[in-house]
Structure formats: structure tokens, C-alpha cells
Amino acid sequence: MPGNATSTADGSRAVLFAGFPVSSWVFALRVWLAMLLALYVSFWLELESPSSAALTVAVLELPTRGQGMEKAGYRLLATALGVAASIAIAGMFSQTGGLLLAVFGIWIGLCVYVAGMLDGNRAYAAALCCITVALIAIEQIDSPLQVFPTGVARGAAIGIGVLAVALVNEVLAAPDYHPVLASRLEALHRRVTEFAQAALRGEASSTPDAANMLRDIAALHPEIASLTTESSIGTARTAAARSAMVDLVGELSLARALAAVPTAWPDSEDDGSSLMTMCRSYLRSQIMRRNADVRSSLGALRAGTHPLRQWRAPLYRSHRIAAEGAVRAAIHFTLIAIIFVMAGWPTTELCLALAAVIIGLSATAPDPRAFTKLAVLAMPIACLLAGILKYLVFNGVSEFQLLAIGLAPVAIGTALLISLPSRALSPLGRLTLVFTLAVLTPSNPQSYDPEVFLVTSLFAQLSSVLVLAAQLLLPSLSGDRRIRLLLDEAHRELSHPQARHLAPEEAAFRDAARIEQIMTANGGTPATPQVVAEAMRCFDRAVALRQCCAELDRMAEGPLAAAAHEARAALALRDGRAILAAAEALRRTAAQAHASADPVLAALVPAGIAFAPSQTQVQG
């Protein structure tokens, strides 16, 4: 999500203070207060791991209330699963030496695979299962009997952190996210409407513009789930936002189909009953209807009511890409573990645990190596800030009031960075805050042993460097490789259609999610025109085929059944001329039988055009 989700929804200029919007300062204040509350309660209860409560605040505090609560729920669930996995792994493999590290590597690979099949906070929960095992089982690798009490202590601290975030957000009236999301969907609706109006005027369709709009629509998928936890009517708002996204994709695909249909066809009669005229007329009416559906869903989102029609918005994920990422993550951890075993260094559990943490978190990033580079940059900054706090600011004191004052500049400063919309500064700020707390480890009483601090700082920085080295030695999937795998899967689905359990509109959104992954595979580098054209060609063909099959299924019986059977046979050939010929035959049969066949004709004609000889070139 954008870092500054609390920006004004109407596009007006926000009031700035010291270069940051007031909303960012309020967010930073919430981070600091929630962190102090979590630490105070943890100290009062004399928990074994009070720093875990502060870390929970650093991870969960987001600019809006719903997003923080959604992430908190997934964090609690993933922590419970991670603790159970830690107990099971430590109980079965604690005396097996190298086999234990191999099992850890397999678990990390499994978590990374699941994270690769999900998005948003669900992917974070999968990565957190890996992180929890790292912080509990790996850190207690030499004392397996401490795994259970350590897990209980971590769970208690995380619970306190979640409650602190919820209380501070409620008291300080953290903003809701649905106004921002509604504004973004309305902006996308205006863009799609302009695109459709151009098609209605007979103008050519811009393939790059269509691909960019599909990317922007599908990119909202991980954000709509947070509306559920935002209020008592959050479920209705989630359903409305989901339906609006699916209808936007449907309107866009209809506009592309209309733009591709010519005003006349050499083999058709040039009058009001001609095939092309019927098709264009029906597509126009469908665009208008779908546009009205989008407006209705957006109105339901604003009002907090259920939409008239509820769609699912399925996510597309490649099993192949997720599996390759999981194998690489497992190998990266195993290589780092081998280095420590061969080096024979004492007290390296922290370094190995942090390496697993970085590997797990990087699995949720679009570019794992870029994330690790940020971690390498953030780690020395965090160690420096922790050292300044511990030995220059605190310098042996144990009063909580001084701890609160000392943490204020770091917590507020990094929170201001988190609130920025920058894709580099925002994650850098969060990583710096998390790593600073991890190295500082606030406790009661606070430890000031310089030797322990230096060793901790050294191994913390070494862990990030080793993860980056492992990723350089065995690189993660490149953007070009991911694009090729995604395109190959799109081509295979044209021959062997998938997701038959989905409605055509829902399956079209699933294809839009694949377009979004193709468009963002190379990070900030835009996809080449050839890749965009091939991806959109697959999208258009898949949408047309599914719509044809759905409409032909409705004509399986009746006076047009035979003509519908011929059209289905032409579809199986993937021959554009045969499909158009079958559509013309179906039109004539319908005219003789005085039956309506406009819906199926409006599906067959775009399919015939999509599979026309001029459209069959495939990039190698």
C-alpha cells in the first residue's frame, strides 16, 4: 500500500509541518505511544521478552486502522502456527545435528512457497511462520527445552503489542482506509470510462493503456481485505470494493472487444441486421450496463452496504514461480548454516535466526534481492542508532521515563519515513525501526554490556551480508524469467482452459492479476511493448473464449442448438475465420427461427477477431 494512506482523498494539498503532512506526524505519534504502552505493560508484567511487544508495534502500526488490525490478526495466527511448528521440530529433531538445520531449511522453503501463492498480509502471515520458527527454535537450537517457554513468552508479548496498537489507534482516532480506497477506485473508473467512450466513438484501443489500467486495478486486491476489520460494516465494504474491481475489468474488456469489431465485414450484409452491427450494438449496451454496475458498487462502498451483485476476485499465482522461489530460499538458508557450522563460531544462533528472518521477509517483496540490499543498508544504521541510545542517551539509567524520551526521536523519525509514499524510503524506515529494536532489546533492567552489544551488532550485520551473498551466488528468479513463465502459462490455458468453476467475469479478473504480475515483474522497469502486446493478446483471447463457452452453454437446447454446436466446434479449432463463419451461420439461423442470439454473437465475433490470422503471431 502507499505509505501515506492518510492523505486527503479529494486530492487537495495537505498541510505540511517540517516537510511532512500533519497526518504523518499523527501517525508517528501513534507509533511512539503504542510502543511505549507495549513496553510499559510488558515491564509491569515482567515478561521474558518485552522487546517482542515493541517489535510487534513497529511491524503492525500502519497509517489506517483497518490495515493494522488485519495485519494483527494474521500475526497472531502465524505466531500460533510458528510456535507449534517450533515445538514439533525441536521435539523430533533436537538431537540430530545437521538434520535439524536441514529441516529448518525445508520449513523456510515451505513458508516461502505459501507466501508466493498469496498476497498482502496473507503472504506476510506465511513468512511470519518462518520468522517465528527462526526466533524461537533456531535461537534455542542448543537448548530445546526452552522452546516452549520462549514461544509462550513471545506469544504473550505479541498479544500485548496488538492490544497496544488497537488501543492507541482507537483513542487517537486512526483514520479509516475505505475513503482512500473508494477515491482510488473512482479514479480508475474515470480512466476506464474514458477508455470505453473512445471505443464507443470508434477510436482504436491503446494496448499499453489497457494493460496499465488492468495492472492498477489488480494491484488493489491485497488492500481490500483490510476493510473487513475496519468496522462492523467492513464485510459489506469489502464485497462492494471487490465487485467494483471485477466490474471495472469487465467494462475494460468489453471496450477492447468493441474497439476491435469493425463497422462492416465483407461477408456480411451492410444493413441493420448485419453481424457486425448486431455485435457492436449489443457490446455498447453491455458497456453501459457494466458502467452502471461499477457506479452502484462504488456507491455501496461509500455507504457501507452490500452491492447488488457480489463477485469473487480470485488471485492468480504461478505454482512454478512459487516453487522455484521456495527452493532458492531453502538453499540460501542451508548455505548460510553450512558456513556457520564450518566456521565453528560460538553464539551464532542470533545471526542464523536473523538470516532466516530476512529470507522470510524478502519472500513477500517483489524483488527479494532489492529487499535484502535495503536490509544490508538498514542494519548498520540500526546498530548505530541502538548504540547511541544505549551508551550515549541512556548510559546506564533504568527509569522508564528516560527510555520513553530516548526512544522518541528514533520511533518518530523512522515512522515519518514509513509514512512516505517512496518505495525505497518507506521500507527502509520500517526496517531501520525493527532492526534498531531488535539490537537494542529494551528490557527491565536494561543490559549495558558493551561486549554483548558489539557481538550482537557484528552478527546482525553479518546475517544480512550473508543473505545477500547467498542471493548473489544463487540468484532469485529474474523478472524476464518470471515474465516468460507467466506468458507460457497463459498460452497453455488457452489450449486447456482453467478455472471452470469461476464466472467469466471472475476469471477475467484472475487474468488481470496475471497482467499485473507481468507488468511489475521487473520492478520499476516497464515491460517491453512486445511483452505487453503478447500478454494482452492472451487476455483478450481468454476472455472471449470463456464468454463464448458461457453463452453457448445457454443455447445447448432449443432451435439454435445445432448452430451452437457448430460454433463450439469452430472455437475448438481456434480459427478466426471458422469462428466468424459459424457466427454468421448462427445469425441467419436465429433470424429464420425468430430467436434472439445477440449475446452469443457478441461473444463469437470478438473471439473470431482475436484468433484472426493477423493476431496469431506469438513472440518467441
Side-chain angles (χ1 to χ4, degrees), residues 528-549:
T528 63
Q530 294 81 4
V531 166
V532 174
E534 184 177 354
M536 290 303 297
R537 184 162 51 245
C538 291
F539 174 82
D540 292 336
R541 290 177 174 180
V543 170
L545 282 175
R546 280 191 293 266
Q547 193 63 38
C548 286
C549 291

Side-chain angles (χ1 to χ4, degrees), residues 35 38-44 46-56 153-154 157-158 160-161 437 441-446:
M35 193 174 297
L39 284 173
Y40 183 82
V41 175
S42 299
F43 291 160
W44 181 60
E46 298 182 354
L47 295 183
E48 180 183 338
S49 179
S51 61
S52 295
L55 283 169
T56 298
R154 176 173 169 78
I158 288 176
I160 289 175
L437 294 172
T441 57
S443 59
N444 188 22
Q446 182 70 40

Side-chain angles (χ1 to χ4, degrees), residues 293-488:
D293 289 342
V294 176
R295 288 198 301 269
S296 175
S297 295
L298 291 176
L301 173 59
R302 291 284 190 182
T305 59
H306 285 278
L308 297 178
R309 178 183 297 177
Q310 297 189 27
W311 296 114
R312 291 173 293 176
L315 179 68
Y316 180 83
R317 278 293 184 262
S318 169
H319 292 273
R320 175 71 177 274
I321 293 176
E324 290 196 20
V327 171
R328 282 171 166 79
I331 294 175
H332 293 160
F333 177 81
T334 303
L335 289 175
I336 296 172
I338 290 174
I339 291 175
F340 286 125
V341 170
M342 294 178 63
W345 293 331
T347 64
T348 58
E349 295 88 354
L350 173 63
C351 187
L352 197 58
L354 283 176
V357 169
I358 295 173
I359 291 173
L361 290 177
S362 66
T364 64
D367 187 347
R369 189 187 301 178
F371 178 89
T372 305
K373 289 179 180 178
L374 275 178
V376 171
L377 176 62
M379 193 67 78
I381 299 175
C383 292
L384 178 62
L385 290 176
I388 292 174
L389 285 175
K390 179 169 286 192
Y391 297 106
L392 294 182
V393 178
F394 301 151
N395 194 24
V397 302
S398 57
E399 289 80 3
F400 184 80
Q401 296 86 341
L402 295 178
L403 174 66
I405 296 173
L407 283 177
V410 174
I412 294 176
T414 53
L416 289 174
L417 290 179
I418 294 171
S419 69
L420 294 175
S422 171
R423 294 186 178 182
L425 293 178
S426 181
L428 178 62
R430 191 173 296 278
L431 285 175
T432 301
L433 178 59
V434 170
F435 290 156
T436 300
L437 294 172
V439 175
L440 180 64
T441 57
S443 59
N444 188 22
Q446 182 70 40
S447 172
Y448 290 97
D449 188 339
E451 182 178 352
V452 173
F453 177 79
L454 288 176
V455 171
T456 300
S457 299
L458 173 63
F459 281 125
Q461 296 179 64
L462 181 61
S463 64
S464 60
V465 172
L466 287 177
V467 173
L468 180 60
Q471 291 178 344
L472 292 174
L473 182 63
L474 180 63
S476 303
L477 280 178
S478 66
D480 292 339
R481 170 68 174 166
R482 288 198 296 271
I483 289 174
R484 179 44 52 196
L485 288 174
L486 290 169
L487 289 176
D488 288 344

Side-chain angles (χ1 to χ4, degrees), residues 7 103 123 132 156 205 227 268 272 313 328 333 337 365 414 480 574 601:
S7 58
V103 172
T132 301
S205 170
L227 300 182
S268 297
R328 282 171 166 79
F333 177 81
T414 53
D480 292 339
R574 304 295 193 263
L601 294 177

Side-chain angles (χ1 to χ4, degrees), residues 541-594:
R541 290 177 174 180
V543 170
L545 282 175
R546 280 191 293 266
Q547 193 63 38
C548 286
C549 291
E551 296 297 341
L552 289 172
D553 287 342
R554 298 187 180 98
M555 299 178 60
E557 297 181 359
L560 304 181
H565 179 74
E566 295 296 329
R568 190 180 293 277
L571 279 176
L573 297 175
R574 304 295 193 263
D575 186 321
R577 294 184 182 277
I579 296 172
L580 289 173
E584 179 64 21
L586 180 60
R587 183 188 70 83
R588 292 173 179 171
T589 303
Q592 294 172 0
H594 301 287

